[in-house]
Amino acid sequence: MTNDAETASILVISAHSGDFVWRAGGAIALSTQRASAVHVLCLSFGERGESQGLWSRPDMTLERVKEARRAEATAAAAVLGASIEFLDLGDYPLRVDAAAVDFMVQVLRTRQPDVLLTHVADDPYNRDHNLAHETTLLTRMVAQAHGHDRSTKPLGASQVLQFEPHQPEVCGFNPDLLLDITEVFDIKAKAMACMTAQDHLLRYYTDLGSRRGVQAVRNGAPSRVTHAEAYQRTFPTVGSDLR
């Protein structure tokens, strides 16, 4: 994902507490196994719109849903080897205020990520994802400003990789990276199993990993590759040869 994978810093900005597991769990596990530091920022717990399994229980409350979602996501992040924190900005709709923007800019300048992982720009099914994408680009821009908070270091040219949405064909998703996650797919599967509030997605993302693995082989990966995740770069890459 970067030229120096052993020292890379990766920040994942997830609209809801489950998104990073389903969509980027393989990338996270692969990176932490290669000694990269991975930190997950969950903008919300997905407590209203993405906790179907919890709301089906009698006497459920919003706070109990949040507690359960925090526990699930924390357990999944531990399986993947990442650190995690929650901003609790609400969902359906997600609302990002000025204080949250300032906090995220500080995280970016402190952690200096080489790569940011987040949602696509236009998901007609879930506008929370769009806001997470826009907030990622906004805070990246502010964190790069040399005149912002002179006591901290400006962020460099961090790549933003958009992970695959649930229905890519209506989201304008055009992947230009198929990441081989074969060696860590069992770890991703364990992390996905932590997300019991959305356990209906487990089979979907297991099947998706297999399909993307087939496509990776078709695009030149070794035949041993069985699982992959798809990503779309936001910014051009820089190189010295035509590859």
Side-chain angles (χ1 to χ4, degrees), residues 5-77:
E6 296 303 314
T7 58
S9 173
I10 298 167
L11 181 65
V12 186
I13 298 179
S14 183
H16 312 104
S17 61
D19 295 330
F20 76 94
V21 184
W22 309 117
R23 294 169 170 84
I28 296 169
L30 192 66
S31 299
T32 58
Q33 286 214 339
R34 294 176 177 176
S36 294
V38 182
H39 187 63
V40 180
L41 272 180
C42 290
L43 303 187
S44 82
F45 295 105
E47 63 270 19
R48 293 188 182 92
E50 306 212 340
S51 301
Q52 299 92 319
L54 295 172
W55 284 115
S56 64
R57 302 175 189 176
D59 302 321
M60 185 55 65
T61 67
L62 195 64
E63 287 307 312
R64 287 174 60 195
V65 172
K66 287 184 181 182
E67 291 172 6
R69 294 292 276 168
R70 178 193 290 272
E72 288 182 355
T74 300

Side-chain angles (χ1 to χ4, degrees), residues 214-236:
V214 171
Q215 292 167 2
V217 173
R218 187 177 183 184
N219 282 276
S223 59
R224 62 165 180 77
V225 173
T226 59
H227 292 82
E229 287 175 344
Y231 293 88
Q232 179 179 338
R233 294 180 176 91
T234 304
F235 302 104

Side-chain angles (χ1 to χ4, degrees), residues 177-209:
L177 171 63
L178 294 173
L179 184 69
D180 174 15
I181 61 168
T182 304
E183 67 182 86
V184 296
F185 190 77
D186 59 332
I187 299 174
K188 178 175 181 176
K190 290 177 183 176
M192 290 193 296
C194 295
M195 309 307 293
T196 59
Q198 293 179 289
D199 57 4
H200 61 286
L201 294 178
L202 181 57
R203 179 178 176 182
Y204 178 88
Y205 282 99
T206 298
D207 291 347
L208 180 60

Side-chain angles (χ1 to χ4, degrees), residues 113-114 140 144 155-160 235:
D114 302 287
R140 177 186 182 273
Q144 290 178 316
L155 180 68
S158 304
Q159 180 61 267
V160 176
F235 302 104

